[in-house]
Amino acid sequence: MASVSEPCVMANWNLKGWSKENRHGRTAHNMSSSSLRKKSDLTLVSKVRCETLRRLLGNLQEVILGTKLSVLFPAIPLAIVAHCYGFARAWIFALSLIGLTPLAERVSFLTEQIAYYTGPTVGGLLNATCGNATEVIIAIFALSQNKIEVVKNSLLGSVLSNLLLVLGTSLLCGGFANLRLEQKFDRRQADVNSLLLLLAVLCHSLPLLFRMSGEPDAVTADPTLQLSRASSIVMLIAYLSYLIFQLFTHRQLFEAQEESEDDNNGEEEPVIGFWSGFIWLVGMTAVISLLSDYVVQTIGDASDSWGISVCFISIILLPIVGNAAEHAGAIIFAFKNKLDISLGVALGSATQISMFVVPLCVVVAWIMGIKMDLNFNLLETGSLALSIIVVAFTLQDGTSHYMKGLVLLVLYIVIGACFFLSKTPPNPVKNGNSEAKTAIDAIFSA
């Protein structure tokens, strides 16, 4: 009887001699998510006589039950039922947000499985593309409904949560868990990410400074939009250069973090076939799209129901819940004194969002005929710039202790409190028009 765990035969791929060189498609994101996975027991499934049914059940067990977050999967059908039967929209928002958590981790798992068959280069590109699939999908649905502020705030929140919350918690927990050890990490990868983040801050600051130059908004609006679109194209080219730097010319800088993990685990094998992984990835992406649509539709109702501003939900709650699996993995590796992996997750994700996802949204909005620029307003841009500068100073000496993590966490709490008190309306343009109309009516009535 054929075993369920024979994806190589099932997909007709040759994986013999799978070396560490070929496993480079496995990034820090995948390694952090792997800490939340559990080995599936296929004893009962292997007793099923029908081969097709046995493979199907085996895939279901590996994909659905192969994670410690499988207890959150019931939130997905509950969100769909709540939407179909007209339950309170705040409940739909909460259930959809919870359902996105295990889906984001499973997308990372499936991209890793596909990378086993495609090789390191294609696998690395696939990981770079799908690493923040949840943020991209939510942003596209928000753009389709012309909720530009939600897009900007959610992407800004993802960068801040990675730089301050995830990295700060990792350094704090790693420092307490290894008080008697000197924690060191490879500065070279952190320096590259810091440079790209500073470039992103520059591209965000110029449209803001251009808008604040003293000219009327009617004069600076169109040039600011054109500058943002040009900057977005430059940022995408810079990110493409970064991928070439990471996957081809300077691959050794990003391999050091994998050595100890690979030495302990030895040779690894995929648990599902190539086409099975591809089909599951398409299905997971479709479900993420559905839940993301629910989140975008109900975020305003959740804000009214909970008495919390849309700004705070977009910047703080969405990134924390949406990336909980990846964040937890980074903290677990910090406990094990493997800071290179934790830094790869936090800085890598922040760099990807700043240099790829944000400019991609500007270009997509341009294609859709929506005027989205890189002006994130003064408070948001200032918070981003200060966070990146503090992180760059924190990582400059290549060592870590719990005090550095504490400072980053305190900074995140202060910024979170600032946005909690901010009562920015979800659609400032619409509110501005209504206020202008009220003023005109008052003039005529007088």
Side-chain angles (χ1 to χ4, degrees):
M1 180 180 296
S3 172
V4 178
S5 58
E6 290 182 351
C8 304
V9 177
M10 182 174 60
N12 195 23
W13 292 82
N14 183 16
L15 297 178
K16 292 183 179 180
W18 187 260
S19 62
K20 186 175 74 174
E21 175 74 14
N22 292 331
R23 289 198 305 268
H24 180 69
R26 193 183 191 202
T27 63
H29 296 267
N30 299 112
M31 297 180 72
S32 68
S33 298
S34 66
S35 61
L36 297 175
R37 297 170 193 165
K38 58 183 180 181
K39 189 175 182 180
S40 301
D41 185 7
L42 302 175
T43 304
L44 294 177
V45 177
S46 62
K47 296 180 180 180
V48 178
R49 294 185 177 183
C50 180
E51 183 178 359
T52 303
L53 181 60
R54 184 172 64 250
R55 290 175 179 174
L56 177 61
L57 293 176
N59 282 336
L60 284 172
Q61 186 162 350
E62 292 288 356
V63 176
I64 303 300
L65 302 179
T67 174
K68 298 175 183 178
L69 300 175
S70 57
V71 294
L72 300 180
F73 273 114
I76 299 174
L78 288 177
I80 297 174
V81 170
H83 179 267
C84 293
Y85 287 91
F87 288 8
R89 294 175 69 83
W91 278 105
I92 300 175
F93 176 82
L95 291 172
S96 300
L97 205 57
I98 294 173
L100 286 172
T101 302
L103 289 174
E105 190 275 332
R106 290 289 85 185
V107 167
S108 176
F109 163 75
L110 292 170
T111 54
E112 180 183 349
Q113 294 297 306
I114 295 175
Y116 280 111
Y117 302 99
T118 58
T121 302
V122 179
L125 293 174
L126 186 63
N127 287 324
T129 305
C130 300
N132 296 96
T134 304
E135 287 90 344
V136 174
I137 295 173
I138 291 178
I140 291 176
F141 274 100
L143 283 175
S144 65
Q145 300 181 26
N146 205 26
K147 295 183 178 181
I148 300 177
E149 294 301 319
V150 173
V151 176
K152 293 181 177 180
N153 290 336
S154 62
L155 296 179
L156 172 68
S158 295
V159 177
L160 293 179
S161 66
N162 278 287
L163 290 179
L164 301 180
L165 179 62
V166 180
L167 185 58
T169 308
S170 299
L171 297 182
L172 180 67
C173 296
F176 280 131
N178 303 275
L179 279 175
R180 300 183 182 276
L181 300 175
E182 184 180 11
Q183 289 190 292
K184 294 183 178 181
F185 55 86
D186 191 352
R187 280 184 52 191
R188 296 173 297 177
Q189 182 181 355
D191 290 342
V192 174
N193 285 298
S194 297
L195 286 174
L196 290 173
L197 288 171
L198 289 173
L199 174 60
V201 168
L202 175 65
C203 293
H204 284 288
S205 301
L206 289 179
L208 174 64
L209 296 176
F210 197 81
R211 203 69 183 264
M212 296 176 62
S213 60
E215 298 291 338
D217 290 345
V219 176
T220 60
D222 189 60
T224 300
L225 181 62
Q226 295 178 2
L227 175 62
S228 299
R229 290 170 175 174
S231 300
S232 298
I233 296 175
V234 173
M235 293 168 72
L236 291 175
I237 295 174
Y239 185 75
L240 179 60
S241 303
Y242 168 69
L243 291 181
I244 296 174
F245 181 88
Q246 179 183 10
L247 299 176
F248 295 99
T249 61
H250 290 69
R251 179 183 295 183
Q252 67 278 4
L253 298 183
F254 301 88
E255 286 182 343
Q257 62 187 22
E258 302 181 32
E259 290 178 357
S260 59
E261 190 72 11
D262 288 336
D263 292 340
N264 294 333
N265 294 339
E267 291 194 0
E268 302 178 12
E269 294 182 356
V271 295
I272 61 175
F274 173 80
W275 289 112
S276 298
F278 181 78
I279 293 172
W280 275 107
L281 183 61
V282 173
M284 291 284 184
T285 305
V287 178
I288 290 176
S289 301
L290 179 64
L291 296 184
S292 299
D293 189 24
Y294 292 168
V295 168
V296 173
Q297 289 181 11
T298 57
I299 187 172
D301 300 280
S303 172
D304 296 336
S305 178
W306 298 342
I308 304 175
S309 64
V310 174
C311 180
F312 181 80
I313 294 177
S314 303
I315 294 179
I316 303 299
L317 294 185
L318 278 179
I320 290 178
V321 179
N323 297 317
E326 187 178 273
H327 295 174
I331 297 171
I332 291 173
F333 277 108
F335 268 110
K336 299 178 181 179
N337 200 18
K338 297 179 180 179
L339 287 182
D340 284 326
I341 299 177
S342 300
L343 289 175
V345 172
L347 296 180
S349 182
T351 301
Q352 187 178 56
I353 294 172
S354 300
M355 295 296 297
F356 175 69
V357 179
V358 172
L360 178 65
C361 289
V362 174
V363 174
V364 170
W366 186 6
I367 297 173
M368 298 171 62
I370 299 174
K371 296 181 179 181
M372 176 181 175
D373 55 24
L374 292 176
N375 180 13
F376 279 36
N377 299 325
L378 181 60
L379 178 61
E380 288 81 354
T381 305
S383 300
L384 177 63
L386 291 175
S387 300
I388 293 175
I389 293 173
V390 170
V391 170
F393 274 104
T394 301
L395 304 177
Q396 65 178 344
D397 61 349
T399 62
S400 174
H401 46 75
Y402 70 86
M403 194 62 197
K404 292 184 176 181
L406 181 62
V407 170
L408 296 181
L409 277 179
V410 170
L411 179 58
Y412 185 75
I413 293 173
V414 172
I415 292 177
C418 180
F419 287 116
F420 179 79
L421 297 175
S422 174
K423 300 296 182 181
T424 304
N427 195 342
V429 176
K430 187 179 295 184
N431 292 340
N433 292 338
S434 62
E435 292 175 0
K437 183 178 179 182
T438 302
I440 293 174
D441 292 339
I443 292 174
F444 279 105
S445 61

